[in-house]
Amino acid sequence: MGQEQTTQPATRIDAHFVAAGKYHDIDYARLELLKLLLENPHIRTTVAADYSGLERLDHCRFLVTYTCDLVPTKEQALQLKAWLEAGGKWLALHGTNSILVFTEEGLVDAPDDRPDFMELVGTQFKAHPPIGQFPVEVVNTTHELTKGIDDFEIVDELY
């Protein structure tokens, strides 16, 4: 993958979407997210079930991932890093930051096997907090995504 981004016409926005993983209804999420992307007539999206074919990113403005327990190879992580450093944008949703291993005791472990990838994503999923009410503090009320939103409390539900 090269360091330079391909310039796209103002009327077309190319995107790439990786949707795959374990333990969740990824098909439902894939469909719903594609519907949202379809709402903008300028966005053209390719879809993949893993991180192979990342050369496609050289033609994309952004990447969306909705995964669970799906980690790119070290080489693919380097491709992602180079693309991001060249100006690519990445919306990493759900369990993109997860590595899950079932122990002999039937527990779920989240090993720190890929610090290179977790550093790239910025976090690593370790465990779900207990289901219950928790406060959400809006720390930047001037940002486009949070403008007009005050602090609130929410009950996290399993589904």
Side-chain angles (χ1 to χ4, degrees), residues 14-51:
D14 284 336
H16 188 59
F17 179 29
V18 177
K22 303 173 188 171
Y23 320 116
H24 296 81
D25 186 355
I26 301 293
D27 290 336
Y28 177 79
R30 181 185 303 110
L31 177 61
E32 293 303 310
L33 288 165
L34 283 170
K35 284 186 207 176
L36 289 171
L37 290 165
L38 182 63
E39 289 180 10
N40 184 323
H42 300 295
I43 296 176
R44 295 291 179 263
T45 307
T46 54
V47 182
D50 59 30
Y51 288 98

PDB file of all heavy atoms in Angstrom, residues 14-51:
ATOM      1  N   ASP A  14     -15.551   6.897  -1.665  1.00  0.00           N
ATOM      2  CA  ASP A  14     -15.344   5.457  -1.566  1.00  0.00           C
ATOM      3  C   ASP A  14     -15.065   5.073  -0.124  1.00  0.00           C
ATOM      4  O   ASP A  14     -14.311   5.747   0.583  1.00  0.00           O
ATOM      5  CB  ASP A  14     -14.187   5.010  -2.447  1.00  0.00           C
ATOM      6  CG  ASP A  14     -14.573   4.977  -3.917  1.00  0.00           C
ATOM      7  OD1 ASP A  14     -15.769   4.845  -4.208  1.00  0.00           O
ATOM      8  OD2 ASP A  14     -13.679   5.077  -4.770  1.00  0.00           O
ATOM      9  N   ALA A  15     -15.681   3.968   0.297  1.00  0.00           N
ATOM     10  CA  ALA A  15     -15.507   3.446   1.644  1.00  0.00           C
ATOM     11  C   ALA A  15     -15.300   1.941   1.569  1.00  0.00           C
ATOM     12  O   ALA A  15     -15.668   1.301   0.588  1.00  0.00           O
ATOM     13  CB  ALA A  15     -16.739   3.757   2.480  1.00  0.00           C
ATOM     14  N   HIS A  16     -14.728   1.399   2.627  1.00  0.00           N
ATOM     15  CA  HIS A  16     -14.561  -0.043   2.744  1.00  0.00           C
ATOM     16  C   HIS A  16     -15.106  -0.446   4.106  1.00  0.00           C
ATOM     17  O   HIS A  16     -14.902   0.260   5.101  1.00  0.00           O
ATOM     18  CB  HIS A  16     -13.090  -0.425   2.610  1.00  0.00           C
ATOM     19  CG  HIS A  16     -12.855  -1.890   2.525  1.00  0.00           C
ATOM     20  ND1 HIS A  16     -13.410  -2.677   1.533  1.00  0.00           N
ATOM     21  CD2 HIS A  16     -12.131  -2.733   3.302  1.00  0.00           C
ATOM     22  CE1 HIS A  16     -13.029  -3.935   1.705  1.00  0.00           C
ATOM     23  NE2 HIS A  16     -12.255  -3.991   2.777  1.00  0.00           N
ATOM     24  N   PHE A  17     -15.805  -1.575   4.157  1.00  0.00           N
ATOM     25  CA  PHE A  17     -16.497  -2.014   5.363  1.00  0.00           C
ATOM     26  C   PHE A  17     -16.133  -3.464   5.638  1.00  0.00           C
ATOM     27  O   PHE A  17     -16.344  -4.326   4.792  1.00  0.00           O
ATOM     28  CB  PHE A  17     -18.004  -1.848   5.123  1.00  0.00           C
ATOM     29  CG  PHE A  17     -18.906  -2.271   6.253  1.00  0.00           C
ATOM     30  CD1 PHE A  17     -18.520  -2.227   7.573  1.00  0.00           C
ATOM     31  CD2 PHE A  17     -20.197  -2.698   5.960  1.00  0.00           C
ATOM     32  CE1 PHE A  17     -19.383  -2.601   8.591  1.00  0.00           C
ATOM     33  CE2 PHE A  17     -21.064  -3.077   6.963  1.00  0.00           C
ATOM     34  CZ  PHE A  17     -20.659  -3.028   8.281  1.00  0.00           C
ATOM     35  N   VAL A  18     -15.547  -3.720   6.812  1.00  0.00           N
ATOM     36  CA  VAL A  18     -15.246  -5.079   7.240  1.00  0.00           C
ATOM     37  C   VAL A  18     -16.254  -5.439   8.324  1.00  0.00           C
ATOM     38  O   VAL A  18     -16.327  -4.768   9.361  1.00  0.00           O
ATOM     39  CB  VAL A  18     -13.807  -5.209   7.789  1.00  0.00           C
ATOM     40  CG1 VAL A  18     -13.560  -6.629   8.299  1.00  0.00           C
ATOM     41  CG2 VAL A  18     -12.794  -4.828   6.717  1.00  0.00           C
ATOM     42  N   ALA A  19     -17.056  -6.464   8.056  1.00  0.00           N
ATOM     43  CA  ALA A  19     -18.080  -6.901   9.010  1.00  0.00           C
ATOM     44  C   ALA A  19     -18.005  -8.411   9.141  1.00  0.00           C
ATOM     45  O   ALA A  19     -18.365  -9.135   8.220  1.00  0.00           O
ATOM     46  CB  ALA A  19     -19.464  -6.475   8.530  1.00  0.00           C
ATOM     47  N   ALA A  20     -17.524  -8.863  10.288  1.00  0.00           N
ATOM     48  CA  ALA A  20     -17.407 -10.297  10.522  1.00  0.00           C
ATOM     49  C   ALA A  20     -17.021 -10.526  11.970  1.00  0.00           C
ATOM     50  O   ALA A  20     -16.581  -9.612  12.658  1.00  0.00           O
ATOM     51  CB  ALA A  20     -16.358 -10.911   9.600  1.00  0.00           C
ATOM     52  N   GLY A  21     -17.171 -11.750  12.404  1.00  0.00           N
ATOM     53  CA  GLY A  21     -16.747 -12.071  13.750  1.00  0.00           C
ATOM     54  C   GLY A  21     -17.596 -13.145  14.375  1.00  0.00           C
ATOM     55  O   GLY A  21     -18.431 -13.776  13.714  1.00  0.00           O
ATOM     56  N   LYS A  22     -17.388 -13.330  15.651  1.00  0.00           N
ATOM     57  CA  LYS A  22     -18.033 -14.403  16.396  1.00  0.00           C
ATOM     58  C   LYS A  22     -19.003 -13.842  17.437  1.00  0.00           C
ATOM     59  O   LYS A  22     -18.904 -12.681  17.829  1.00  0.00           O
ATOM     60  CB  LYS A  22     -16.973 -15.232  17.121  1.00  0.00           C
ATOM     61  CG  LYS A  22     -15.914 -15.814  16.225  1.00  0.00           C
ATOM     62  CD  LYS A  22     -14.831 -16.469  17.073  1.00  0.00           C
ATOM     63  CE  LYS A  22     -13.658 -16.904  16.223  1.00  0.00           C
ATOM     64  NZ  LYS A  22     -12.532 -17.330  17.052  1.00  0.00           N
ATOM     65  N   TYR A  23     -19.917 -14.710  17.882  1.00  0.00           N
ATOM     66  CA  TYR A  23     -20.741 -14.482  19.060  1.00  0.00           C
ATOM     67  C   TYR A  23     -21.814 -13.404  18.906  1.00  0.00           C
ATOM     68  O   TYR A  23     -22.459 -13.049  19.883  1.00  0.00           O
ATOM     69  CB  TYR A  23     -19.883 -14.167  20.301  1.00  0.00           C
ATOM     70  CG  TYR A  23     -18.639 -15.010  20.385  1.00  0.00           C
ATOM     71  CD1 TYR A  23     -17.377 -14.438  20.319  1.00  0.00           C
ATOM     72  CD2 TYR A  23     -18.729 -16.400  20.475  1.00  0.00           C
ATOM     73  CE1 TYR A  23     -16.228 -15.222  20.380  1.00  0.00           C
ATOM     74  CE2 TYR A  23     -17.589 -17.192  20.531  1.00  0.00           C
ATOM     75  CZ  TYR A  23     -16.350 -16.594  20.483  1.00  0.00           C
ATOM     76  OH  TYR A  23     -15.220 -17.365  20.532  1.00  0.00           O
ATOM     77  N   HIS A  24     -22.023 -12.852  17.739  1.00  0.00           N
ATOM     78  CA  HIS A  24     -23.013 -11.804  17.515  1.00  0.00           C
ATOM     79  C   HIS A  24     -23.662 -12.000  16.142  1.00  0.00           C
ATOM     80  O   HIS A  24     -23.107 -12.663  15.273  1.00  0.00           O
ATOM     81  CB  HIS A  24     -22.359 -10.416  17.555  1.00  0.00           C
ATOM     82  CG  HIS A  24     -21.790 -10.078  18.891  1.00  0.00           C
ATOM     83  ND1 HIS A  24     -20.559 -10.529  19.301  1.00  0.00           N
ATOM     84  CD2 HIS A  24     -22.283  -9.341  19.914  1.00  0.00           C
ATOM     85  CE1 HIS A  24     -20.322 -10.085  20.524  1.00  0.00           C
ATOM     86  NE2 HIS A  24     -21.359  -9.361  20.911  1.00  0.00           N
ATOM     87  N   ASP A  25     -24.797 -11.369  15.960  1.00  0.00           N
ATOM     88  CA  ASP A  25     -25.486 -11.417  14.671  1.00  0.00           C
ATOM     89  C   ASP A  25     -24.863 -10.363  13.756  1.00  0.00           C
ATOM     90  O   ASP A  25     -25.387  -9.271  13.584  1.00  0.00           O
ATOM     91  CB  ASP A  25     -26.987 -11.184  14.847  1.00  0.00           C
ATOM     92  CG  ASP A  25     -27.766 -11.378  13.556  1.00  0.00           C
ATOM     93  OD1 ASP A  25     -27.132 -11.598  12.499  1.00  0.00           O
ATOM     94  OD2 ASP A  25     -28.999 -11.311  13.603  1.00  0.00           O
ATOM     95  N   ILE A  26     -23.726 -10.696  13.196  1.00  0.00           N
ATOM     96  CA  ILE A  26     -22.996  -9.760  12.339  1.00  0.00           C
ATOM     97  C   ILE A  26     -23.787  -9.464  11.070  1.00  0.00           C
ATOM     98  O   ILE A  26     -23.736  -8.348  10.543  1.00  0.00           O
ATOM     99  CB  ILE A  26     -21.595 -10.312  12.000  1.00  0.00           C
ATOM    100  CG1 ILE A  26     -20.784 -10.564  13.282  1.00  0.00           C
ATOM    101  CG2 ILE A  26     -20.853  -9.389  11.050  1.00  0.00           C
ATOM    102  CD1 ILE A  26     -20.382  -9.353  14.076  1.00  0.00           C
ATOM    103  N   ASP A  27     -24.553 -10.432  10.568  1.00  0.00           N
ATOM    104  CA  ASP A  27     -25.346 -10.198   9.362  1.00  0.00           C
ATOM    105  C   ASP A  27     -26.317  -9.044   9.564  1.00  0.00           C
ATOM    106  O   ASP A  27     -26.484  -8.198   8.684  1.00  0.00           O
ATOM    107  CB  ASP A  27     -26.110 -11.456   8.950  1.00  0.00           C
ATOM    108  CG  ASP A  27     -25.199 -12.545   8.430  1.00  0.00           C
ATOM    109  OD1 ASP A  27     -24.090 -12.224   7.958  1.00  0.00           O
ATOM    110  OD2 ASP A  27     -25.602 -13.719   8.495  1.00  0.00           O
ATOM    111  N   TYR A  28     -26.971  -9.016  10.706  1.00  0.00           N
ATOM    112  CA  TYR A  28     -27.914  -7.926  10.996  1.00  0.00           C
ATOM    113  C   TYR A  28     -27.187  -6.584  11.041  1.00  0.00           C
ATOM    114  O   TYR A  28     -27.620  -5.612  10.421  1.00  0.00           O
ATOM    115  CB  TYR A  28     -28.639  -8.186  12.322  1.00  0.00           C
ATOM    116  CG  TYR A  28     -29.560  -7.068  12.705  1.00  0.00           C
ATOM    117  CD1 TYR A  28     -30.822  -6.949  12.116  1.00  0.00           C
ATOM    118  CD2 TYR A  28     -29.172  -6.111  13.635  1.00  0.00           C
ATOM    119  CE1 TYR A  28     -31.670  -5.908  12.449  1.00  0.00           C
ATOM    120  CE2 TYR A  28     -30.022  -5.063  13.979  1.00  0.00           C
ATOM    121  CZ  TYR A  28     -31.256  -4.970  13.380  1.00  0.00           C
ATOM    122  OH  TYR A  28     -32.094  -3.933  13.709  1.00  0.00           O
ATOM    123  N   ALA A  29     -26.083  -6.542  11.773  1.00  0.00           N
ATOM    124  CA  ALA A  29     -25.320  -5.297  11.875  1.00  0.00           C
ATOM    125  C   ALA A  29     -24.810  -4.848  10.510  1.00  0.00           C
ATOM    126  O   ALA A  29     -24.861  -3.662  10.172  1.00  0.00           O
ATOM    127  CB  ALA A  29     -24.162  -5.481  12.848  1.00  0.00           C
ATOM    128  N   ARG A  30     -24.324  -5.799   9.708  1.00  0.00           N
ATOM    129  CA  ARG A  30     -23.824  -5.476   8.368  1.00  0.00           C
ATOM    130  C   ARG A  30     -24.925  -4.806   7.543  1.00  0.00           C
ATOM    131  O   ARG A  30     -24.714  -3.764   6.922  1.00  0.00           O
ATOM    132  CB  ARG A  30     -23.333  -6.743   7.667  1.00  0.00           C
ATOM    133  CG  ARG A  30     -22.775  -6.495   6.263  1.00  0.00           C
ATOM    134  CD  ARG A  30     -22.403  -7.793   5.546  1.00  0.00           C
ATOM    135  NE  ARG A  30     -21.440  -8.597   6.288  1.00  0.00           N
ATOM    136  CZ  ARG A  30     -21.722  -9.761   6.873  1.00  0.00           C
ATOM    137  NH1 ARG A  30     -22.923 -10.291   6.792  1.00  0.00           N
ATOM    138  NH2 ARG A  30     -20.786 -10.418   7.531  1.00  0.00           N
ATOM    139  N   LEU A  31     -26.102  -5.417   7.539  1.00  0.00           N
ATOM    140  CA  LEU A  31     -27.214  -4.882   6.765  1.00  0.00           C
ATOM    141  C   LEU A  31     -27.609  -3.484   7.235  1.00  0.00           C
ATOM    142  O   LEU A  31     -27.782  -2.570   6.418  1.00  0.00           O
ATOM    143  CB  LEU A  31     -28.413  -5.828   6.846  1.00  0.00           C
ATOM    144  CG  LEU A  31     -29.684  -5.364   6.133  1.00  0.00           C
ATOM    145  CD1 LEU A  31     -29.439  -5.188   4.640  1.00  0.00           C
ATOM    146  CD2 LEU A  31     -30.814  -6.347   6.391  1.00  0.00           C
ATOM    147  N   GLU A  32     -27.747  -3.310   8.531  1.00  0.00           N
ATOM    148  CA  GLU A  32     -28.184  -2.015   9.059  1.00  0.00           C
ATOM    149  C   GLU A  32     -27.152  -0.921   8.795  1.00  0.00           C
ATOM    150  O   GLU A  32     -27.509   0.205   8.444  1.00  0.00           O
ATOM    151  CB  GLU A  32     -28.494  -2.122  10.554  1.00  0.00           C
ATOM    152  CG  GLU A  32     -29.700  -2.991  10.864  1.00  0.00           C
ATOM    153  CD  GLU A  32     -30.977  -2.530  10.167  1.00  0.00           C
ATOM    154  OE1 GLU A  32     -31.307  -1.326  10.248  1.00  0.00           O
ATOM    155  OE2 GLU A  32     -31.637  -3.371   9.530  1.00  0.00           O
ATOM    156  N   LEU A  33     -25.873  -1.233   8.940  1.00  0.00           N
ATOM    157  CA  LEU A  33     -24.841  -0.230   8.668  1.00  0.00           C
ATOM    158  C   LEU A  33     -24.760   0.098   7.188  1.00  0.00           C
ATOM    159  O   LEU A  33     -24.565   1.255   6.801  1.00  0.00           O
ATOM    160  CB  LEU A  33     -23.494  -0.698   9.216  1.00  0.00           C
ATOM    161  CG  LEU A  33     -23.400  -0.651  10.741  1.00  0.00           C
ATOM    162  CD1 LEU A  33     -22.220  -1.454  11.234  1.00  0.00           C
ATOM    163  CD2 LEU A  33     -23.322   0.788  11.222  1.00  0.00           C
ATOM    164  N   LEU A  34     -24.938  -0.898   6.333  1.00  0.00           N
ATOM    165  CA  LEU A  34     -24.963  -0.621   4.896  1.00  0.00           C
ATOM    166  C   LEU A  34     -26.159   0.253   4.526  1.00  0.00           C
ATOM    167  O   LEU A  34     -26.041   1.134   3.664  1.00  0.00           O
ATOM    168  CB  LEU A  34     -24.971  -1.923   4.094  1.00  0.00           C
ATOM    169  CG  LEU A  34     -23.623  -2.628   4.007  1.00  0.00           C
ATOM    170  CD1 LEU A  34     -23.789  -4.028   3.417  1.00  0.00           C
ATOM    171  CD2 LEU A  34     -22.622  -1.812   3.212  1.00  0.00           C
ATOM    172  N   LYS A  35     -27.279   0.053   5.180  1.00  0.00           N
ATOM    173  CA  LYS A  35     -28.444   0.925   4.931  1.00  0.00           C
ATOM    174  C   LYS A  35     -28.123   2.365   5.296  1.00  0.00           C
ATOM    175  O   LYS A  35     -28.501   3.297   4.574  1.00  0.00           O
ATOM    176  CB  LYS A  35     -29.644   0.449   5.751  1.00  0.00           C
ATOM    177  CG  LYS A  35     -30.336  -0.773   5.216  1.00  0.00           C
ATOM    178  CD  LYS A  35     -31.584  -0.993   6.069  1.00  0.00           C
ATOM    179  CE  LYS A  35     -32.041  -2.389   6.151  1.00  0.00           C
ATOM    180  NZ  LYS A  35     -33.187  -2.574   7.054  1.00  0.00           N
ATOM    181  N   LEU A  36     -27.415   2.542   6.419  1.00  0.00           N
ATOM    182  CA  LEU A  36     -27.041   3.903   6.823  1.00  0.00           C
ATOM    183  C   LEU A  36     -26.081   4.529   5.817  1.00  0.00           C
ATOM    184  O   LEU A  36     -26.224   5.705   5.470  1.00  0.00           O
ATOM    185  CB  LEU A  36     -26.410   3.880   8.211  1.00  0.00           C
ATOM    186  CG  LEU A  36     -27.359   3.594   9.364  1.00  0.00           C
ATOM    187  CD1 LEU A  36     -26.581   3.377  10.657  1.00  0.00           C
ATOM    188  CD2 LEU A  36     -28.371   4.718   9.527  1.00  0.00           C
ATOM    189  N   LEU A  37     -25.121   3.767   5.339  1.00  0.00           N
ATOM    190  CA  LEU A  37     -24.195   4.284   4.338  1.00  0.00           C
ATOM    191  C   LEU A  37     -24.920   4.620   3.036  1.00  0.00           C
ATOM    192  O   LEU A  37     -24.558   5.567   2.337  1.00  0.00           O
ATOM    193  CB  LEU A  37     -23.070   3.279   4.085  1.00  0.00           C
ATOM    194  CG  LEU A  37     -22.085   3.106   5.235  1.00  0.00           C
ATOM    195  CD1 LEU A  37     -21.239   1.861   5.042  1.00  0.00           C
ATOM    196  CD2 LEU A  37     -21.215   4.346   5.387  1.00  0.00           C
ATOM    197  N   LEU A  38     -25.948   3.846   2.726  1.00  0.00           N
ATOM    198  CA  LEU A  38     -26.722   4.063   1.504  1.00  0.00           C
ATOM    199  C   LEU A  38     -27.488   5.389   1.531  1.00  0.00           C
ATOM    200  O   LEU A  38     -27.812   5.943   0.487  1.00  0.00           O
ATOM    201  CB  LEU A  38     -27.697   2.898   1.297  1.00  0.00           C
ATOM    202  CG  LEU A  38     -28.557   2.918   0.051  1.00  0.00           C
ATOM    203  CD1 LEU A  38     -27.688   2.836  -1.200  1.00  0.00           C
ATOM    204  CD2 LEU A  38     -29.551   1.767   0.084  1.00  0.00           C
ATOM    205  N   GLU A  39     -27.755   5.906   2.717  1.00  0.00           N
ATOM    206  CA  GLU A  39     -28.498   7.165   2.826  1.00  0.00           C
ATOM    207  C   GLU A  39     -27.766   8.326   2.176  1.00  0.00           C
ATOM    208  O   GLU A  39     -28.376   9.308   1.795  1.00  0.00           O
ATOM    209  CB  GLU A  39     -28.798   7.477   4.294  1.00  0.00           C
ATOM    210  CG  GLU A  39     -29.835   6.555   4.896  1.00  0.00           C
ATOM    211  CD  GLU A  39     -30.124   6.864   6.351  1.00  0.00           C
ATOM    212  OE1 GLU A  39     -29.662   7.912   6.861  1.00  0.00           O
ATOM    213  OE2 GLU A  39     -30.819   6.050   6.987  1.00  0.00           O
ATOM    214  N   ASN A  40     -26.449   8.231   2.048  1.00  0.00           N
ATOM    215  CA  ASN A  40     -25.687   9.255   1.344  1.00  0.00           C
ATOM    216  C   ASN A  40     -25.427   8.742  -0.068  1.00  0.00           C
ATOM    217  O   ASN A  40     -24.668   7.788  -0.252  1.00  0.00           O
ATOM    218  CB  ASN A  40     -24.372   9.547   2.052  1.00  0.00           C
ATOM    219  CG  ASN A  40     -23.601  10.664   1.394  1.00  0.00           C
ATOM    220  OD1 ASN A  40     -23.585  10.810   0.175  1.00  0.00           O
ATOM    221  ND2 ASN A  40     -22.932  11.459   2.205  1.00  0.00           N
ATOM    222  N   PRO A  41     -26.035   9.357  -1.087  1.00  0.00           N
ATOM    223  CA  PRO A  41     -25.907   8.832  -2.453  1.00  0.00           C
ATOM    224  C   PRO A  41     -24.496   8.911  -3.025  1.00  0.00           C
ATOM    225  O   PRO A  41     -24.210   8.288  -4.039  1.00  0.00           O
ATOM    226  CB  PRO A  41     -26.874   9.708  -3.256  1.00  0.00           C
ATOM    227  CG  PRO A  41     -26.998  10.965  -2.466  1.00  0.00           C
ATOM    228  CD  PRO A  41     -26.852  10.572  -1.026  1.00  0.00           C
ATOM    229  N   HIS A  42     -23.603   9.629  -2.368  1.00  0.00           N
ATOM    230  CA  HIS A  42     -22.233   9.760  -2.867  1.00  0.00           C
ATOM    231  C   HIS A  42     -21.315   8.643  -2.380  1.00  0.00           C
ATOM    232  O   HIS A  42     -20.236   8.448  -2.932  1.00  0.00           O
ATOM    233  CB  HIS A  42     -21.641  11.110  -2.464  1.00  0.00           C
ATOM    234  CG  HIS A  42     -22.421  12.270  -2.988  1.00  0.00           C
ATOM    235  ND1 HIS A  42     -22.541  12.548  -4.326  1.00  0.00           N
ATOM    236  CD2 HIS A  42     -23.145  13.212  -2.345  1.00  0.00           C
ATOM    237  CE1 HIS A  42     -23.302  13.621  -4.489  1.00  0.00           C
ATOM    238  NE2 HIS A  42     -23.676  14.041  -3.309  1.00  0.00           N
ATOM    239  N   ILE A  43     -21.732   7.921  -1.343  1.00  0.00           N
ATOM    240  CA  ILE A  43     -20.877   6.886  -0.761  1.00  0.00           C
ATOM    241  C   ILE A  43     -21.024   5.584  -1.537  1.00  0.00           C
ATOM    242  O   ILE A  43     -22.128   5.106  -1.773  1.00  0.00           O
ATOM    243  CB  ILE A  43     -21.200   6.665   0.727  1.00  0.00           C
ATOM    244  CG1 ILE A  43     -20.884   7.928   1.532  1.00  0.00           C
ATOM    245  CG2 ILE A  43     -20.408   5.475   1.277  1.00  0.00           C
ATOM    246  CD1 ILE A  43     -21.256   7.846   2.996  1.00  0.00           C
ATOM    247  N   ARG A  44     -19.891   5.019  -1.931  1.00  0.00           N
ATOM    248  CA  ARG A  44     -19.833   3.714  -2.583  1.00  0.00           C
ATOM    249  C   ARG A  44     -18.998   2.813  -1.686  1.00  0.00           C
ATOM    250  O   ARG A  44     -17.840   3.124  -1.388  1.00  0.00           O
ATOM    251  CB  ARG A  44     -19.189   3.806  -3.969  1.00  0.00           C
ATOM    252  CG  ARG A  44     -19.994   4.637  -4.954  1.00  0.00           C
ATOM    253  CD  ARG A  44     -21.299   3.896  -5.306  1.00  0.00           C
ATOM    254  NE  ARG A  44     -22.114   4.650  -6.218  1.00  0.00           N
ATOM    255  CZ  ARG A  44     -23.134   5.434  -5.862  1.00  0.00           C
ATOM    256  NH1 ARG A  44     -23.436   5.575  -4.604  1.00  0.00           N
ATOM    257  NH2 ARG A  44     -23.841   6.067  -6.767  1.00  0.00           N
ATOM    258  N   THR A  45     -19.573   1.712  -1.241  1.00  0.00           N
ATOM    259  CA  THR A  45     -18.948   0.888  -0.215  1.00  0.00           C
ATOM    260  C   THR A  45     -18.667  -0.522  -0.718  1.00  0.00           C
ATOM    261  O   THR A  45     -19.553  -1.166  -1.269  1.00  0.00           O
ATOM    262  CB  THR A  45     -19.870   0.796   1.022  1.00  0.00           C
ATOM    263  OG1 THR A  45     -20.231   2.114   1.435  1.00  0.00           O
ATOM    264  CG2 THR A  45     -19.181   0.075   2.163  1.00  0.00           C
ATOM    265  N   THR A  46     -17.452  -0.985  -0.503  1.00  0.00           N
ATOM    266  CA  THR A  46     -17.137  -2.394  -0.698  1.00  0.00           C
ATOM    267  C   THR A  46     -17.186  -3.059   0.668  1.00  0.00           C
ATOM    268  O   THR A  46     -16.972  -2.415   1.693  1.00  0.00           O
ATOM    269  CB  THR A  46     -15.746  -2.588  -1.331  1.00  0.00           C
ATOM    270  OG1 THR A  46     -14.773  -1.899  -0.538  1.00  0.00           O
ATOM    271  CG2 THR A  46     -15.727  -2.052  -2.755  1.00  0.00           C
ATOM    272  N   VAL A  47     -17.477  -4.372   0.674  1.00  0.00           N
ATOM    273  CA  VAL A  47     -17.667  -5.100   1.928  1.00  0.00           C
ATOM    274  C   VAL A  47     -16.757  -6.321   1.940  1.00  0.00           C
ATOM    275  O   VAL A  47     -16.609  -7.003   0.923  1.00  0.00           O
ATOM    276  CB  VAL A  47     -19.144  -5.546   2.083  1.00  0.00           C
ATOM    277  CG1 VAL A  47     -19.354  -6.263   3.401  1.00  0.00           C
ATOM    278  CG2 VAL A  47     -20.079  -4.350   1.970  1.00  0.00           C
ATOM    279  N   ALA A  48     -16.181  -6.598   3.100  1.00  0.00           N
ATOM    280  CA  ALA A  48     -15.317  -7.765   3.256  1.00  0.00           C
ATOM    281  C   ALA A  48     -15.629  -8.463   4.575  1.00  0.00           C
ATOM    282  O   ALA A  48     -16.179  -7.860   5.494  1.00  0.00           O
ATOM    283  CB  ALA A  48     -13.856  -7.346   3.216  1.00  0.00           C
ATOM    284  N   ALA A  49     -15.251  -9.741   4.639  1.00  0.00           N
ATOM    285  CA  ALA A  49     -15.462 -10.532   5.842  1.00  0.00           C
ATOM    286  C   ALA A  49     -14.167 -10.719   6.634  1.00  0.00           C
ATOM    287  O   ALA A  49     -14.147 -11.461   7.610  1.00  0.00           O
ATOM    288  CB  ALA A  49     -16.055 -11.889   5.474  1.00  0.00           C
ATOM    289  N   ASP A  50     -13.093 -10.053   6.218  1.00  0.00           N
ATOM    290  CA  ASP A  50     -11.831 -10.091   6.952  1.00  0.00           C
ATOM    291  C   ASP A  50     -10.972  -8.929   6.476  1.00  0.00           C
ATOM    292  O   ASP A  50     -11.423  -8.081   5.723  1.00  0.00           O
ATOM    293  CB  ASP A  50     -11.119 -11.439   6.785  1.00  0.00           C
ATOM    294  CG  ASP A  50     -10.801 -11.774   5.344  1.00  0.00           C
ATOM    295  OD1 ASP A  50     -10.588 -10.845   4.527  1.00  0.00           O
ATOM    296  OD2 ASP A  50     -10.770 -12.968   5.013  1.00  0.00           O
ATOM    297  N   TYR A  51      -9.729  -8.897   6.934  1.00  0.00           N
ATOM    298  CA  TYR A  51      -8.849  -7.778   6.606  1.00  0.00           C
ATOM    299  C   TYR A  51      -7.995  -8.021   5.361  1.00  0.00           C
ATOM    300  O   TYR A  51      -7.078  -7.248   5.087  1.00  0.00           O
ATOM    301  CB  TYR A  51      -7.944  -7.461   7.802  1.00  0.00           C
ATOM    302  CG  TYR A  51      -8.687  -6.819   8.952  1.00  0.00           C
ATOM    303  CD1 TYR A  51      -9.121  -7.575  10.038  1.00  0.00           C
ATOM    304  CD2 TYR A  51      -8.956  -5.465   8.953  1.00  0.00           C
ATOM    305  CE1 TYR A  51      -9.796  -6.991  11.095  1.00  0.00           C
ATOM    306  CE2 TYR A  51      -9.627  -4.868   9.999  1.00  0.00           C
ATOM    307  CZ  TYR A  51     -10.048  -5.635  11.069  1.00  0.00           C
ATOM    308  OH  TYR A  51     -10.722  -5.043  12.109  1.00  0.00           O
TER     309      TYR A  51
END
